[in-house]
Amino acid sequence: MEAVDFTNYPAEIQSAANKYEEFIRARLEPDLTQVVADRDAVYNRMSEYLKLKTHIETIRSQNLDELETKVDLGSNFYAKAFVPDTEFLFVNVGFGFHLQMTLNEADEFIDQKVNHMEKLADKYTEEANQIRAKIKMVYGALMEAMNLSDK
């Protein structure tokens, strides 16, 4: 939201308004930015798991015993990769750990992980909505104070 000009109002209104605006700029807006970034990071990780699930479905549907693919090393830099045996794959389970799993185990793990991540993303969305509501409430209180001081 835009800053409101309080120069035509009494000093006590100006002082209170400046404090509230500073609270919004210094606390609520950075909190909102962080929560949205955290939620977006969850969605990005969820996307990676869903891509893996798609690859697993491709391996199953085409009965692939081996696989030649490209792997993203980061920053859209790809390297060729050859998987001689598709019976097992390594799945990132978090905290830097990777576990060897069968396709069925990986599929089940991904379903559970994505379910958990959806709940986490929903929590971040709710938190972002609460922060937005607080920002609106503070601006509403400022506008109400301005209207009362006019009377």
Side-chain angles (χ1 to χ4, degrees):
M1 292 190 118
E2 275 183 36
V4 180
D5 182 21
F6 295 102
T7 55
N8 297 332
Y9 293 92
E12 60 272 0
I13 297 283
Q14 288 180 23
S15 175
N18 289 335
K19 286 179 185 175
Y20 283 121
E21 281 192 327
E22 179 59 26
F23 175 70
I24 289 170
R25 277 193 304 274
R27 179 62 189 224
L28 294 178
E29 287 176 351
D31 286 353
L32 179 60
T33 301
Q34 183 62 49
V35 167
V36 170
D38 290 345
R39 182 193 61 193
D40 290 347
V42 169
Y43 282 135
N44 287 336
R45 288 194 320 267
M46 193 182 323
S47 169
E48 292 299 317
Y49 281 106
L50 293 173
K51 283 181 197 175
L52 179 57
K53 188 171 181 74
T54 302
H55 290 301
I56 291 170
E57 290 169 2
T58 301
I59 290 170
R60 281 190 183 134
S61 68
Q62 296 181 7
N63 290 326
L64 299 175
D65 293 329
E66 57 185 31
L67 177 66
E68 193 169 315
T69 187
K70 291 183 181 179
V71 178
D72 187 358
L73 300 176
S75 300
N76 288 326
F77 184 75
Y78 290 87
K80 286 185 179 180
F82 178 72
V83 181
D85 181 12
T86 60
E87 184 179 350
F88 295 98
L89 51 95
F90 286 91
V91 179
N92 181 351
V93 294
F95 299 107
F97 292 100
H98 294 77
L99 289 180
Q100 184 177 3
M101 298 181 185
T102 64
L103 297 180
N104 290 335
E105 291 170 338
D107 213 12
E108 185 178 323
F109 172 80
I110 291 168
D111 289 341
Q112 291 174 1
K113 187 75 169 180
V114 167
N115 186 26
H116 169 75
M117 293 170 107
E118 285 172 345
K119 289 177 185 174
L120 186 59
D122 289 345
K123 179 185 130 275
Y124 283 132
T125 299
E126 179 60 32
E127 193 173 336
N129 290 338
Q130 288 175 359
I131 294 170
R132 285 186 190 103
K134 288 177 185 176
I135 291 171
K136 270 186 155 178
M137 183 180 68
V138 171
Y139 275 121
L142 286 173
M143 294 305 199
E144 186 68 28
M146 289 170 36
N147 288 337
L148 290 176
S149 69
D150 283 342
K151 295 180 181 178

